[in-house]
Amino acid sequence: MLTSRNRIHCEAYAEAPAGMALVAHAGGGLQQGDYSNSREALDQSLANGFKLFELDFIWTSDGELAIGHDWTEEYRYWNRLGWGDWLASFYVDAPSSQRFAASTPDFGFTRLSPDTLLDWLRTNPGQIVTDFKTNNLEGLALIASQAPDLQHRFIPQIYALPEYHAVRELGYEEIIFTTYRLPPTAALFSQIDTLDVFAVTVPADAVTDTARLIANNRIFTHTINAPGTLPAAGYYTDCLVPAVS
């Protein structure tokens, strides 16, 4: 199976620093790899003591919402595709919902959909941190309309300042402002710090500088897979687990 990046395989799980908030990245890392966004990843992260689970959301070519990181490398890795669909994933932006449903999750894992995710939330504790790769507001509006009883169990990530008030108007109570799509300027962080957010998420190499600029909100960082000390209140992680209190 072709892959072009150094995939993270969680052969073992180390404890994070005591008191560190942890977000299970793409549901949580597995021995088979990271970015599975699978039911098994959620179940394992829950068993390991996680309370926050980040999931990736993407759209099929006919406008259906799916759970996965992308329609290219991760789609090929985590699903058994026919030759035609495998080849198309190099040239076509996204499959149709029908073609996606026809693929088989690999490694015997269970693919999540918006509906099965809601079912999981109804029987398990925790909150979902959303990462919509496109059409963030449209996706969040869809979740709010389909599951108003579970809306408080979602923590949307936003990627631009204008999204903040729009997401508040949709009824979401907690919001993470994640900055990986924006230039990390002092002016930007000054504006972000006027907002009431659950956390401000920055790449690991920006944590130290950001800590000098953010005074009113917590800083989270990604993706951290080894114990260490950074001036952050939370890590997105594949292979760390919460410290046993």
Side-chain angles (χ1 to χ4, degrees):
M1 186 173 295
L2 296 179
T3 184
S4 61
R5 71 174 179 86
N6 186 19
R7 186 171 299 279
I8 302 297
H9 297 270
C10 298
E11 302 293 345
Y13 297 87
E15 284 191 4
M20 183 68 65
L22 291 185
V23 182
H25 180 227
L30 300 168
Q31 184 177 358
Q32 293 81 358
D34 51 352
Y35 288 103
S36 78
N37 286 284
S38 65
R39 168 68 184 259
E40 286 73 16
L42 287 183
D43 288 342
Q44 178 169 284
S45 295
L46 180 65
N48 283 334
F50 280 82
K51 298 179 181 179
L52 300 173
F53 312 87
E54 184 245 15
L55 292 174
D56 300 305
F57 294 81
I58 50 180
W59 302 86
T60 65
S61 63
D62 50 339
E64 294 294 321
L65 185 59
I67 296 177
H69 185 267
D70 57 62
W71 294 118
T72 53
E73 186 171 330
E74 301 306 327
Y75 179 44
R76 292 189 293 270
Y77 183 82
W78 290 106
N79 295 278
R80 298 176 186 175
L81 305 180
W83 173 248
D85 288 332
W86 184 87
L87 188 62
S89 71
F90 289 90
Y91 302 101
V92 179
D93 288 340
S96 68
S97 55
Q98 183 178 12
R99 296 309 310 160
F100 179 45
S103 65
T104 302
D106 212 344
F107 306 105
F109 287 163
T110 307
R111 178 185 294 150
L112 287 170
S113 69
D115 287 342
T116 59
L117 173 60
L118 295 176
D119 289 342
W120 188 89
L121 283 172
R122 290 190 172 98
T123 57
N124 293 286
Q127 290 178 283
I128 303 300
V129 176
T130 66
D131 191 0
F132 281 88
K133 300 308 179 183
T134 60
N135 300 330
N136 189 35
L137 297 181
E138 181 180 343
L140 293 172
L142 181 63
I143 290 173
S145 66
Q146 290 188 338
D149 59 317
L150 294 174
Q151 188 176 0
H152 66 289
R153 304 280 300 281
F154 287 85
I155 303 176
Q157 290 189 113
I158 62 172
Y159 312 94
L161 289 164
E163 291 185 333
Y164 177 78
H165 292 294
V167 172
R168 284 285 187 212
E169 290 174 2
L170 287 172
Y172 288 95
E173 300 170 0
E174 297 175 315
I175 297 171
I176 293 176
F177 197 119
T178 190
T179 62
Y180 72 87
R181 300 182 189 179
L182 298 171
T185 65
L188 171 67
F189 287 116
S190 177
Q191 289 179 285
I192 292 173
D193 209 27
T194 66
L195 306 177
D196 178 17
V197 294
F198 185 83
V200 179
T201 296
V202 300
D205 60 4
V207 170
T208 300
D209 289 339
T210 305
R212 301 189 187 105
L213 301 170
I214 296 293
N216 300 318
N217 288 293
R218 298 188 297 174
I219 298 171
F220 283 11
T221 189
H222 55 77
T223 303
I224 307 298
N225 285 315
T229 302
L230 288 171
Y235 293 166
Y236 294 59
T237 185
D238 303 299
C239 303
L240 294 178
V241 295
V244 177
S245 57

